[in-house]
Amino acid sequence: MSAVDDAELARLQAEAEAAEAALKLAQAKAALAAAQAARAAGGAAAGTAAAGAAAAGAAGGAPAEEISAPEVATGVSTPPEAISPPEAPAADAAQTVPEAPAADAAASGPLNDAQVAAIAKGYAFDGLTLDLGALMNTDPVPSAQIRIPLGMMNRHGLVAGATGTGKTRTLQGLAEQLAAKGVPVFAADMKGDLSGVATPGEPSEKLLARTAAIGQEWTPAASVTEYFALGGVGKGVPVRATVSGFGPLLLSKVLDLNETQESSLGLVFHYADANGLALVDLSDLRAVLTWLTSDDGKDELKALGGLSSATAGVILRKLITFADDGADVFFGEPEFDVRDFLRTAADGRGVISLLEVPGVADKPALFSTFLMYLLAELFEILPEVGDLDTPKLVFFFDEAHLLFRDASKSFLSAITQTVRLIRSKGVGVFFVTQTPKDVPSDVLGQLGSRVQHALRAFTPDDAKALRATVGTYPKSGYDLERVLQELGTGEAIVTVMNEKGAPTPVAWTRLRAPQGLMSPTPDPDIERAVHASPLLARYGTPIDRESAREILTAKMNAAAEADAAATRAEAQEQAAKEQEKQQAAQAKADAAAARERQKEYDRILRSTGGSTRTTRTSRSSQKSPLEQVLNSKSTQTILNSVIRGLFGTGRR
């Protein structure tokens, strides 16, 4: 045997011994507590008998299949060579009382031996499984392990229970086992404590005693984890979506629009698509609405039909308020490709993608609707694959009640259709919420696995919800209305689908403990993991390309310039007309003045009787004799001849 084999054998032997010791300690403590309670009640004899039974159990040890057989905890058989020879006597000794724990549990619990055996048989599967825990019959029954077939994880499920009952730890345990079997996982980290899945857990006496009591071989382990942050609000890789990708239906849910406003928003998206206006962020959508309600775009608004300017104004105001609350950081580019949630590590393990949520805790509607967007994107891009033995992805939808609160009929219809059909894409969806009534019946009817933690019945409404929950379970040997109120932390009522698609028996289960840290991973470790992520280079820096806002801004600026030019031309034309009018008025005034002067002149002439003009005319028309002689032709001829002779001008 090689040195490596010896080391592995030593490790297995040490783990088996530790588990056996822890189990004996837990059994002794339980017996002691029972004896003390019996003595306090006056049943000293019963207490003595209980103590004797505990001593006998401690001396005989736990059954081999409950402590040292890995096939019980993992569903995988252990090779014969991995069993240590020194452990054989202990196993043989344990075989002398293999039925004692089950018999005791049956005697003290609500189930008899036949019912315990039937439940154990109902959860015995041939293929790969996820181990939930051990059957409870007042006390754990380690020989009856409760499991979910891996192939049934894409039949969806529900994890429900009151606050503090262990839902988060159940989610963490399922995520760890899925990732270990090569299945990628997506989950929203509501309180930040799911991040511990990336850090090995810390053992404690209490933890080891609990896990040993249910037959779990607990070892600390870390899972490959990728951290994301919605819109970059947080430490993880930013996850953004464009407004066009988000769509009018989901956006209407976030904006709390009524059905009329929702249909109107759909028309706005149609207009943007038809006119090549890319809706990247909220400012683009606001720009489109501003354009349609402006004087330049009002004709196009009328052409849409069914969209009033008043409704467009309401949507615009809600968008402005929504953006002012900080929601605009969740929309933009680069848009996240949901295929990056389907990654596996180099060693074949699935990557657990955790979406950080505490930074947006004050925007629950946006958070839940964004998760629905991611799920819808997966539905759109993944091909049909039918029922797979190993799912492509399991999507945990935490705080599911936020998604369905005040949802419109069309929104609920879209969710129901997505959940119903995405199974054939190889994706499983688990809703995590407080009570099953938080999930609409149409969606609840699509869920094959149910892990119901404790419910509280402090009010009449709580009691009604409790009875309604009990009514949805098949008949069982439990008084579920009582048991559901008495479940301890980390315990749940379980029913799943078996490998044939039929429901398994109802099982009161004490759930396995996660192998990762059950508290948040330290912030420095998270920051180092984010900076080392290859996705940060792709999604870390926002992009602002030309989109509807820039296009419509340019269009509105051009329209404004055209209006300004038209206004200037109109002003010039008006000025020219005014000048022409003034010139015409001046000419008219001058003509009128001339007429007045002429009239005045004529009046003066008339007043003088016209003699002045006659005298002048007659005087000017008469000439003297000398003038008549000098002006005659003969006189002019003689004078010209004399002048030529005197000055010699005649030779020229």
Side-chain angles (χ1 to χ4, degrees):
M1 183 176 290
S2 65
V4 176
D5 291 338
D6 292 339
E8 179 66 14
L9 183 60
R11 185 186 68 80
L12 291 173
Q13 182 175 353
E15 289 181 358
E17 291 174 352
E20 182 177 4
L23 179 57
K24 290 179 180 179
L25 177 62
Q27 290 173 336
K29 287 183 176 180
L32 178 60
Q36 290 173 341
R39 175 171 295 180
T48 304
E65 65 269 22
E66 297 175 17
I67 298 174
S68 59
E71 63 267 24
V72 173
T74 63
V76 180
S77 60
T78 304
E81 60 269 23
I83 304 296
S84 167
E87 290 186 25
D92 293 340
Q95 291 292 340
T96 60
V97 286
E99 300 298 333
D104 292 343
S108 61
L111 304 179
N112 57 37
D113 292 345
Q115 290 172 320
V116 170
I119 292 176
K121 182 179 179 181
Y123 288 90
F125 307 117
D126 296 330
L128 293 176
T129 63
L130 304 180
D131 298 327
L132 289 174
L135 178 68
M136 287 288 291
N137 195 23
T138 303
D139 294 319
V141 185
S143 59
Q145 290 291 313
I146 308 303
R147 304 179 176 94
I148 301 178
L150 182 60
M152 291 294 107
M153 289 299 290
N154 69 338
R155 297 296 182 95
H156 314 319
L158 174 72
V159 179
T163 301
T165 56
K167 297 191 300 296
T168 302
R169 301 284 76 87
T170 299
L171 191 159
Q172 182 177 348
L174 288 173
E176 289 176 349
Q177 293 186 67
L178 285 165
K181 290 176 171 59
V183 180
V185 174
F186 173 88
D189 194 1
M190 289 299 298
K191 300 181 288 295
D193 51 1
L194 260 182
S195 62
V197 74
T199 305
E202 297 177 351
S204 66
E205 182 180 346
K206 181 179 179 181
L207 175 64
L208 293 175
R210 185 184 191 279
T211 55
I214 63 173
Q216 177 185 0
E217 291 188 349
W218 188 90
T219 54
S223 301
V224 182
T225 306
E226 190 81 63
Y227 299 97
F228 297 94
L230 199 56
V233 181
K235 298 180 287 292
V237 176
V239 176
R240 300 182 183 91
T242 63
V243 172
S244 293
F246 205 72
L249 189 61
L250 294 177
L251 192 59
S252 298
K253 173 66 169 61
V254 175
L255 297 176
D256 193 24
L257 302 181
N258 59 36
E259 292 188 3
T260 300
Q261 294 163 350
E262 180 181 313
S263 62
S264 298
L265 185 61
L267 290 175
V268 175
F269 272 72
H270 171 74
Y271 169 81
D273 291 340
N275 290 271
L277 302 174
L279 299 178
V280 175
D281 52 26
L282 292 180
S283 63
D284 292 320
L285 185 55
R286 293 201 305 271
V288 173
L289 285 165
T290 301
W291 167 259
L292 291 175
T293 54
S294 67
D295 292 336
D296 297 317
K298 60 184 179 181
D299 292 336
E300 297 182 35
L301 180 66
K302 292 179 181 178
L304 284 177
L307 177 59
S308 68
S309 57
T311 301
V314 170
I315 298 173
L316 181 59
R317 289 193 295 273
K318 290 197 174 189
L319 277 174
I320 293 173
T321 303
F322 186 53
D324 289 344
D325 289 340
D328 52 345
V329 299
F330 306 122
F331 298 94
E333 289 182 323
E335 188 171 30
F336 190 80
D337 186 350
V338 293
R339 280 180 285 249
D340 286 325
F341 290 145
L342 306 177
R343 296 186 301 142
T344 55
D347 58 3
R349 289 183 295 168
V351 175
I352 298 178
S353 300
L354 292 183
L355 182 66
E356 185 180 355
V357 176
V360 293
D362 57 339
K363 301 174 182 65
L366 175 63
F367 147 71
S368 62
T369 310
F370 212 101
L371 290 189
M372 190 61 215
Y373 156 75
L374 296 178
L375 193 60
E377 283 291 291
L378 287 169
F379 176 73
E380 289 293 330
I381 67 172
L382 293 179
E384 292 281 343
V385 293
D387 291 327
L388 299 176
D389 293 335
T390 301
K392 286 186 175 182
L393 174 73
V394 176
F395 194 103
F396 289 96
F397 210 127
D398 204 0
E399 298 295 336
H401 63 281
L402 299 175
L403 178 68
F404 301 108
R405 181 184 297 167
D406 301 325
S408 65
K409 292 181 180 178
S410 55
F411 184 76
L412 290 177
S413 176
I415 295 175
T416 304
Q417 181 182 17
T418 301
V419 173
R420 180 184 296 117
L421 299 179
I422 203 170
R423 174 186 63 81
S424 61
K425 305 294 184 82
V427 176
V429 182
F430 272 68
F431 293 97
V432 184
T433 186
Q434 294 191 358
T435 66
K437 72 174 185 177
D438 295 333
V439 181
S441 57
D442 289 344
V443 177
L444 199 61
Q446 306 298 319
L447 310 182
S449 300
R450 294 176 60 181
V451 180
Q452 178 65 63
H453 289 265
L455 291 175
R456 308 294 182 232
F458 297 137
T459 68
D461 288 341
D462 292 341
K464 183 178 179 181
L466 175 62
R467 288 191 295 271
T469 301
V470 171
T472 62
Y473 281 93
K475 290 184 179 180
S476 68
Y478 301 110
D479 180 2
L480 288 180
E481 189 167 348
R482 178 181 62 81
V483 171
L484 282 173
Q485 298 181 74
E486 297 177 355
L487 290 173
T489 301
E491 296 179 0
I493 297 297
V494 175
T495 180
V496 303
M497 280 189 175
N498 63 22
E499 294 168 317
K500 297 180 180 179
T504 57
V506 176
W508 175 6
T509 307
R510 177 166 291 176
L511 300 168
R512 294 166 60 92
Q515 294 176 286
L517 193 65
M518 287 188 277
S519 59
T521 292
D523 286 347
D525 293 343
I526 295 178
E527 292 171 359
R528 280 193 295 270
V530 171
H531 287 124
S533 172
L535 300 179
L536 188 62
R538 190 187 311 173
Y539 300 113
T541 304
I543 299 173
D544 186 13
R545 65 180 175 92
E546 185 182 54
S547 52
R549 175 170 55 87
E550 289 79 9
I551 295 173
L552 290 178
T553 298
K555 193 174 182 179
M556 293 179 75
N557 290 340
E561 291 178 2
D563 289 343
T567 301
R568 288 194 299 270
E570 184 179 356
Q572 291 174 354
E573 183 180 357
Q574 187 68 24
K577 288 182 179 180
E578 185 65 24
Q579 184 178 6
E580 183 179 352
K581 183 178 179 181
Q582 290 177 356
Q583 290 175 349
Q586 185 63 40
K588 184 176 180 181
D590 292 344
R595 287 195 299 272
E596 287 296 326
R597 288 194 299 271
Q598 184 64 41
K599 287 171 64 177
E600 181 64 18
Y601 180 72
D602 292 343
R603 185 185 65 77
I604 294 173
L605 287 179
R606 285 194 299 272
S607 64
T608 57
S611 58
T612 302
R613 180 179 297 178
T614 304
T615 303
R616 263 181 206 166
T617 304
S618 61
R619 181 178 295 176
S620 62
S621 62
Q622 294 179 359
K623 296 180 179 179
S624 64
L626 179 59
E627 290 177 337
Q628 292 177 359
V629 172
L630 290 175
N631 291 332
S632 65
K633 280 187 175 183
S634 58
T635 302
Q636 292 293 330
T637 303
I638 294 172
L639 288 174
N640 290 336
S641 300
V642 172
I643 291 171
R644 283 196 298 271
L646 290 174
F647 297 101
T649 58
R651 291 190 298 270
R652 296 181 179 180

